[in-house]
Amino acid sequence: MSKSLKWVGLAAALVCVGSAMAAGKPAKAQIGADIDTAVDISASPTLQRWQAGGTVTLGVREAAVPMSYVIGANEKFVGYHMDLCERVVHAIAPKAQIKYMVLTPQNTMPLINNGTADFNCASMTNNLMRQKQVAFGLTTYVSEVRMAVRADSGITSFKQLQGRNVGAITGTTAVQILRKYASDNDLNFKTLMSKDQFESFLLLESGRVDAFVLDDNMLAGVIGQSQNPKGYKIVGEVIGAEPIAIQFSKNDPQIKKAVDGAILQMIRSGEMHKLYNKWFMQPIPPKGVNLNLPMGEMLKKQLAAPNDTPLEHFVLPQ
């Protein structure tokens, strides 16, 4: 089967090159042409099992709007990365049965590593430490560290935070990035720490802080779930960015090739951009709120030149 797939891909490539040459134009390199997606099904018992109709367990989150979250009494899991995960599974194993398992940040990698869950569909940064335990697909989101403010605050830049109160979440990379930015730019402000995004947002709602700093997708999610979404907006320079991707076992390299191949096809066809617009630029359940978060320049560049570069090698444009 893998030989047939390789020959079909080669034939399609030759047709494209031939058509371009016949038209007197140089052949244009296909997006991600240098990425290895030649799957050898015979070398992967797991892929064989999935393709025969076996069960694929997707790790999910219950409140990570808009990446992976649950709605309704029937607990339907939805979100940008949920759609992505489900489409990847359908592409590589159309007959597979899908079931869902709620994961936490603490147990995600152990459960992926031991095979209890096959994929993690929530938002998780690709970094070198995690790559020692799990494999990451191509980057499908780039979280940009910015800030949420009240819409009438007049704040548009981090440099306006001088002498103000700022909210942040304990233990997040956003806190480290914020502190470095403050040090590099001689800014002095008081930081009020919280345990999660909901607690930090309450500080913003109550007026105890003037801004709340975190990844843009998480800020958009908590604003969308608030009582007055139009009363807040995401502003400021991008002071940090992290590559986000779905995770799976690193013990089977054929799964990595299959997943990357499915993601590449979604990028090439424009489906990835449509998914982004669906979850970030259109009304989403359960309240029908539009997060109105246009695709960032870094994600646009990632989709134009797909890769799985970890955080440590990720360069923030100057």
Side-chain angles (χ1 to χ4, degrees), residues 224-245:
Q225 296 176 83
S226 70
Q227 294 182 347
N228 180 28
K230 293 183 179 180
Y232 305 89
K233 59 183 179 180
I234 299 171
V235 300
E237 307 86 341
V238 177
I239 63 171
E242 300 184 7
I244 305 296

Side-chain angles (χ1 to χ4, degrees), residues 36-311:
D36 185 3
T37 59
V39 181
D40 182 359
I41 299 295
S42 65
S44 175
T46 300
L47 281 175
Q48 292 177 38
R49 173 169 54 81
W50 292 348
Q51 292 191 348
T55 298
V56 177
T57 302
L58 302 184
V60 298
R61 297 284 174 82
E62 293 180 300
V65 180
M67 306 297 276
S68 171
Y69 63 106
V70 65
I71 60 171
N74 295 326
E75 295 193 341
K76 179 181 180 181
F77 292 97
V78 299
Y80 173 66
H81 256 200
M82 285 306 308
D83 273 1
L84 174 68
C85 269
E86 290 171 348
R87 294 183 192 202
V88 165
V89 171
H90 289 316
I92 66 179
K95 296 180 180 179
Q97 306 297 309
I98 295 178
K99 78 173 186 178
Y100 304 90
M101 175 181 292
V102 176
L103 302 180
T104 67
Q106 292 74 29
N107 68 19
T108 292
M109 287 185 291
L111 293 182
I112 294 291
N113 193 33
N114 67 21
T116 301
D118 295 304
F119 291 93
N120 173 30
C121 303
S123 177
M124 181 170 280
T125 301
N126 177 359
N127 62 31
L128 291 175
M129 179 76 69
R130 290 168 177 163
Q131 283 187 3
K132 294 178 181 179
Q133 300 181 60
V134 299
F136 286 82
L138 297 173
T139 297
T140 47
Y141 188 81
V142 178
S143 64
E144 298 182 344
V145 177
R146 301 180 70 197
M147 59 180 163
V149 299
R150 290 181 295 279
D152 60 358
S153 70
I155 297 174
T156 59
S157 169
F158 278 91
K159 294 179 180 179
Q160 291 175 267
L161 298 182
Q162 181 72 27
R164 296 176 182 264
N165 292 333
V166 180
I169 301 175
T170 302
T172 60
T173 53
V175 174
Q176 301 169 27
I177 291 169
L178 177 63
R179 288 172 176 164
K180 183 178 186 304
Y181 181 87
S183 176
D184 292 345
N185 291 275
D186 295 322
L187 289 177
N188 291 297
F189 47 75
K190 183 177 180 180
T191 305
L192 277 67
M193 307 302 296
S194 300
K195 65 179 180 180
D196 58 33
Q197 67 267 39
F198 302 107
E199 190 173 289
S200 283
F201 191 74
L202 281 175
L203 295 178
L204 181 62
E205 284 184 310
S206 66
R208 292 183 59 195
V209 299
D210 301 291
F212 166 30
V213 178
L214 192 62
D215 299 352
D216 57 355
N217 61 300
M218 296 183 71
L219 291 175
V222 74
I223 289 174
Q225 296 176 83
S226 70
Q227 294 182 347
N228 180 28
K230 293 183 179 180
Y232 305 89
K233 59 183 179 180
I234 299 171
V235 300
E237 307 86 341
V238 177
I239 63 171
E242 300 184 7
I244 305 296
I246 59 175
Q247 302 96 57
F248 40 90
S249 172
K250 64 178 296 180
N251 299 324
D252 188 338
Q254 302 308 316
I255 295 178
K256 165 70 172 167
K257 294 178 183 179
V259 169
D260 285 353
I263 292 174
L264 269 180
Q265 182 54 38
M266 292 173 66
I267 294 172
R268 291 166 179 165
S269 68
E271 187 176 0
M272 191 71 72
H273 286 77
K274 291 178 181 177
L275 270 185
Y276 185 94
N277 287 334
K278 172 184 175 182
W279 290 102
F280 292 94
M281 297 299 294
Q282 297 176 17
I284 63 172
K287 295 183 179 181
V289 173
N290 186 340
L291 300 183
N292 194 27
L293 187 66
M295 184 180 290
E297 291 302 315
M298 296 197 70
L299 180 54
K300 290 179 182 178
K301 291 180 180 179
Q302 284 292 125
L303 298 184
N307 60 69
D308 57 3
T309 301
L311 173 64

Side-chain angles (χ1 to χ4, degrees), residues 14-28:
L14 290 173
V15 168
C16 291
V17 172
S19 298
M21 291 178 66
K25 300 178 181 178
K28 185 178 180 180

